Structures are given as C-alpha cells and as structure tokens.
Amino acid sequence: MADFDLFVIGAGSGGVRAARVSAAYGARVAIAEEHKVGGTCVIRGCVPKKLLVYGAHFAEDLDDAAMFGWDVPTKQFDWQVLRDNVLAEVGRLEEAYTDTLTNHDVTIFHERAELTGPNSLRLASGKDVTADKILIATGATPVMPAMVGIEHAISSNEVFHLEKLPKRIVIAGGGYIANEFAGIFHQFGSHVTLVNRTDVILRQYDQQIVDRLMQISLRKGIDFKFHATIEKIERRDRALHVTMTGCDDLEADQLLFATGRRPNTNGMGLDSAGVETGEKGQIKVDSDNRTSVPSIFAVGDVTDRIQLTPVAIREGQAFADTFFGKTPTKVDYSCVPSAVFSHPPLAGVGMTEGQAREKLGQVKTYTSDFRAMKNVLAGRNERSLYKLVVDGSTDRIVGIHMIGPDAPEILQAAAIAVRGKLKKADFDATIALHPTMAEELVLMR
Ligand code: NDP
C-alpha cells in the first residue's frame, strides 16, 4: 500500500483546495510546499496586491473628501506602515490556510518535493514517499528576461517587500501586473513609466475599455513608452540607468518586470516520471486534469490554461470530486469573468466586441459613458464606460465590459447573466436600482 492516497505538490490555491476536499472525502493526503502555505495568490499576488490597491485609493479619497465637507489638513503616506500591515495580514492568512489543512488531517511537508516515478517522490530532506495519485499544483513564476543588469530589477515577488517607496519606477509590460502596479505606485506618489513592446496593453480585454484606462492613466500623469524595449540596466550612483531602444534612456529608482509568468516545472523530475510538457514548460493535461502519466495530475497555473486563482480552485475541486468524491466533474472555461485592479479598475466577461464580430454574424453593442455621481461632486473628471455586446440574431448578451469605480464588484453579478444566456430584453425588463452605477447595465438603449 502506498504511503498516501494523494500527494499534492504545491500549497497554493489549486493544491490546497484539492488536498482539503480530497481529505474530507476520506483520502489519506499529504502536501509539500517549499515556500509558504497559501501560494502566489495569498502570499505575493492577489491578496496583498488588493490591499495595496485599497491603500492607494486613499490618495484620491482624501483629496475628494473636501468637497464632501471633510477637512483633512495634511495627507502623508508611509509605505513602511502599509507594507508591514499587509505582510502581517498575509502571515495571518498563511496560518489560516495551514490550520485548514491540518484540521482535515492533511500531512504538510514544508519542503520541496520532486517526482522520482509515476507513484513516488523525494523530499528535499531525502525522504522517499509513495502515493496512489500525485497532483502537481506548483503554479507559475515571473519571467525575468536575460539581460545585462537584470539583477537590479525586481518582479512582483519582491515588490511587496520594498525597503522604501521609489520616487521613480519603470514598469516593463502592459498586462495585469504592469497596469495594477502602475496605478498603485502612481497613487502613492511615485513617478511611473510603463514600457511596452507594442502599443497594445491588456490585449485580452475589450479595447474600447482599455483605451479609457489609457486616457485616464495618461491624464493622471502615468508615462507610457510604446514600441520600446529595455536593453540593459546599470546602477549609477544610487539610481538605475535603463538603456532603451524605441525611446530615450530612463533613470529610475526601481525597475519592475511584469512581462508574464511561466509554469513552475523546472527540476521537478517530470522527465523521470514521463510527464509531457508543452513549449512553455506547461504540464499537458486532459479535461480530467490527468497528465500523460495516468497516476499524475496537474491543476492551476502550471498547466497554463487560464492563469487565474478561481480557475485553479475550480480545477482542484473538480479533481477531488472526480477522483475521491465519486462525482465526475469538468470545469467549464466558457464564461470566466476577470478584472484588472487598475485605477480605476476594469472588468470583463464573455466576448469582447472584436471577438464577437469575428465569431458571430450580427453584433450589436450598447454603451453607457458616464461620470459617477461621487466623481461629479468631487470635481473629478473621470468617466466610466460600460459596454454590452449582444448577438444581433438572438438578442443574447455575449459579453459585458466595464471600467469605473467598483467595476469588478458589479461585474461578478452581471457574469451570472452572461453565463445564464440572458437576453438584452431581460436587462431592459429589470427595474433599475437607483442611484447606483450598476443601474447603467439595465438602462442602455
Ligand atoms: P500578462 O500576460 O498579463 O502581461 C504580460 C505583458 O508583458 C504583456 O503586455 C505582454 O505583451 C508583455 N510581454 C510578454 N513577453 C514579453 C517580452 N518578452 N518582452 C516584452 N514584453 C513582453 O502578464 P503579467 O505578468 O502582468 O501577469 C501574469 C499573469 O498573472 C496574468 O496573465 C494573469 O493571468 C495573472 N494575474 C491576474 C491578475 C488579476 O486577475 N487581476 C493580477 C495579476 C496577475 P503582449 O501583449 O505583446 O504579449
């Protein structure tokens, strides 16, 4: 008999869910984690990032307070206070995740585990273990390009631990992390320059919504360098000199690379077990999360399907339900909502207008371009934009895209309508909830 029914490698969102639920179904489960229980999302991703976003938003809220009658005499930001509070909260969550596992009798190995065969692993301490099933949930890691001086740059792993707030920060990339941290550092008072290899940012989002973010970001004072590439980084005195092609060289106090993440599969013994990987090192799996080796499975970012926490959690749950809960379950990837926590945030679900025009014959779009009430009174000239993409032949809403305060909060509920195949007529028939921003969704004609 194997030591465990299930051995999970990686205690992030997908791994913890699979381990906990499988154990609840009665399986003997172990999990190995070489860093901290909680994984990227909890330790150095979504959670601490969102707390920084909240912290950053006070900059505007305190400015706006005056028009609402509040006298806020001085506004001073202390990075160390926010950083330490955020890290303390991360520590609390790490303990909560650990407790969840131990309460379900999951054995935790706080060390690296590598495959030695289809049913065997070796831990960093040298201990060998066996398991009927192995689940790889090792996530992904930031890509740091090979270039002279790259050791002077940081990734999103280090950004939560900075000693002090940079006066000038250069951010490479035009995706989620670049735009979120551009907003965060700008609100904290840093001068932000975002460098991107093309002039398209947030490629997978509706471009009209993205254009609005760009207009707002430019007006706020975030600098964009498009069609620009970083060639070399040097430390000169206490600043960084960044040699560029496509624009003038840049001087900065910090340089953050946010040019994507690659699956964490290096040195994991995949070859010795016979697990097949793809071009980016991602583990190839079927719709049951099974790899090319029947006893080995993988979920989450390491499979490079959709790199989002809730997707990894669904995959972990589906794995546990299927193999330990006797309820075969497959994840539906067709209607995954997502958001960028920029300033202001944007969110989307379903097809963008571009995708719909390519895929469907007849497409109608409805937009609402408005200034949130709060912004009007505050004198803040920042407009929101909501967009419905409708299949012209069936009246079905196939996409909803929005930018503005609380857009992700609103979109989560709206995503149910898209998944439920509701029609534009259903939105029209719904009475508005006034006064809200969300009411715009049912008032577009
Ligand atoms: P993204 O994939 O979002 O963006 C990568 C950016 O880097 C793109 O602008 C891309 O350009 C550019 N890029 C890629 N390769 C290179 C290169 N070799 N040289 C120069 N530029 C390059 O990655 P992030 O690092 O921002 O985030 C990683 C993942 O983490 C995301 O895909 C997302 O799944 C997840 N995430 C989700 C968040 C959320 O849900 N709010 C928040 C943060 C991360 P191009 O478009 O031309 O390819």
Side-chain angles (χ1 to χ4, degrees), residues 49 173-177 180 196-197 203 258-261 307-308 339:
K49 180 276 310 286
Y176 282 88
I177 297 176
E180 290 180 345
N196 195 34
R197 62 178 171 184
R203 193 178 286 286
T259 48
R261 296 169 62 85
Q307 288 191 350
L308 293 175

Side-chain angles (χ1 to χ4, degrees), residues 40 45-46 49 140 142-143 145 156 172-181 194-205 228-230 257-262 301 304 306-310 337-342 346:
T40 298
C46 334
K49 180 276 310 286
V143 175
S156 55
Y176 282 88
I177 297 176
N179 283 284
E180 290 180 345
F181 278 96
L194 193 146
V195 172
N196 195 34
R197 62 178 171 184
T198 65
D199 58 1
V200 181
I201 62 168
L202 295 167
R203 193 178 286 286
Q204 61 276 56
Y205 283 88
T229 313
I230 297 175
F257 268 91
T259 48
R261 296 169 62 85
R262 67 170 165 71
D301 289 2
D304 199 29
I306 301 182
Q307 288 191 350
L308 293 175
T309 294
S338 62
V340 183
F341 294 92
S342 42
L346 59 86

Side-chain angles (χ1 to χ4, degrees), residues 52 55-60 63 75-79 82 165-169 181-193 220-222 253 343:
L52 293 187
H57 216 279
F58 279 94
E60 289 180 357
D63 285 344
K75 190 178 79 169
Q76 197 118 34
F77 175 64
D78 188 332
W79 160 253
L82 178 61
L165 192 66
K167 284 202 174 73
R168 301 158 298 178
I169 183 164
F181 278 96
I184 289 169
F185 280 110
H186 173 77
Q187 298 293 114
F188 289 158
S190 304
H191 181 268
V192 177
T193 307
K220 281 182 198 282
I222 294 174
D253 305 298
H343 278 79

Side-chain angles (χ1 to χ4, degrees), residues 120-134:
S120 58
L121 306 105
R122 180 158 303 149
L123 300 174
S125 55
K127 183 180 165 69
D128 288 310
V129 287
T130 56
D132 274 347
K133 289 187 171 56
I134 296 170

Side-chain angles (χ1 to χ4, degrees), residues 148-168:
V148 173
I150 191 67
E151 67 278 8
H152 300 305
I154 59 169
S155 73
S156 55
N157 287 347
E158 292 78 40
V159 76
F160 301 103
H161 298 268
L162 294 181
E163 277 303 310
K164 57 180 186 182
L165 192 66
K167 284 202 174 73
R168 301 158 298 178

